[in-house]
């Protein structure tokens, strides 16, 4: 894979929103509806209460992952890799970058919601040390929702 940089970006940038729209299309194809209806705002991803990261290759955004503060935790949102870049470890790199950012902000763990129709995401999270927790978020109580968490090391 070409040289890939992971950088912070504004959630409301047009190029970021195009990638988010692709993410929502992917979720819509899996689950129906419009994708993820969780209320989000660009301000959710502004440090120190969040961060939105993108992977850039040859000037093109190919992956995203953000986090927003949820109490003492960092809630993972909008984790996505474009189809052409899948299967090369990029999602794992994005997840690690989120964990690093959240650790630096003093979060104690990363929490997330995913769905049972995303087996590749479930496999990634479990192999990265995430364990099931009680459902907590916007989709709490919905069929097929799976919530996970991973403890973060104390900030240095």
């Amino acid at each position: 894979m070409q040289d890939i940089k992971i950088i912070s970006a504004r959630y409301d940038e047009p190029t970021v929103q195009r990638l988010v729209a692709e993410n929502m299309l992917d979720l819509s194809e899996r689950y129906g509806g419009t994708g993820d209806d969780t209320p989000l705002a660009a301000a959710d991803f502004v440090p120190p209460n969040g961060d939105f990261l993108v992977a850039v290759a040859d000037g093109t955004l190919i992956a995203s992952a953000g986090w927003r503060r949820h109490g003492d935790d960092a809630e993972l949102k909008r984790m996505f890799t474009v189809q052409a870049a899948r299967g090369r470890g990029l999602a794992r790199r994005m997840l690690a970058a989120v964990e690093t950012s959240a650790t630096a902000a003093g979060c104690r763990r990363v929490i997330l919601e995913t769905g049972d129709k995303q087996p590749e995401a479930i496999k990634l999270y479990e192999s990265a040390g995430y364990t099931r927790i009680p459902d907590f978020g916007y989709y709490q109580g919905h069929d097929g929702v799976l919530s996970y968490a991973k403890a973060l090391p104390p900030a240095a």
Side-chain angles (χ1 to χ4, degrees), residues 107-150:
C107 295
R108 65 182 181 94
R109 64 186 185 157
V110 174
I111 59 175
L112 64 94
E113 292 177 303
T114 192
D116 60 359
K117 295 181 181 176
Q118 294 170 265
E120 66 283 359
I122 295 165
K123 182 178 176 181
L124 169 68
Y125 299 137
E126 290 178 348
S127 71
Y130 286 74
T131 57
R132 289 290 308 275
I133 61 171
D135 292 338
F136 67 90
Y138 183 77
Y139 289 102
Q140 182 177 5
H142 285 69
D143 289 339
V145 172
L146 305 169
S147 297
Y148 286 87
K150 179 181 178 179

Side-chain angles (χ1 to χ4, degrees), residues 6-9 51-55 63-67 94 97-99 101:
I6 298 175
I7 60 171
S8 291
D51 197 4
F52 200 81
L53 304 166
V54 294
S64 66
W67 68 270
M94 294 300 294
V98 163
E99 292 170 2
S101 174

Side-chain angles (χ1 to χ4, degrees), residues 50-121:
D51 197 4
F52 200 81
L53 304 166
V54 294
V56 183
D58 295 329
T60 301
L61 303 188
I62 59 171
S64 66
W67 68 270
R68 64 180 180 176
R69 197 167 294 275
H70 187 91
D72 291 333
D73 297 330
E75 180 185 10
L76 180 69
K77 297 304 298 175
R78 302 298 184 252
M79 178 86 169
F80 178 70
T81 303
V82 299
Q83 185 68 37
R86 292 181 185 169
R88 301 177 192 162
L90 183 55
R92 189 169 302 278
R93 286 180 58 194
M94 294 300 294
L95 188 58
V98 163
E99 292 170 2
T100 298
S101 174
T103 297
C107 295
R108 65 182 181 94
R109 64 186 185 157
V110 174
I111 59 175
L112 64 94
E113 292 177 303
T114 192
D116 60 359
K117 295 181 181 176
Q118 294 170 265
E120 66 283 359

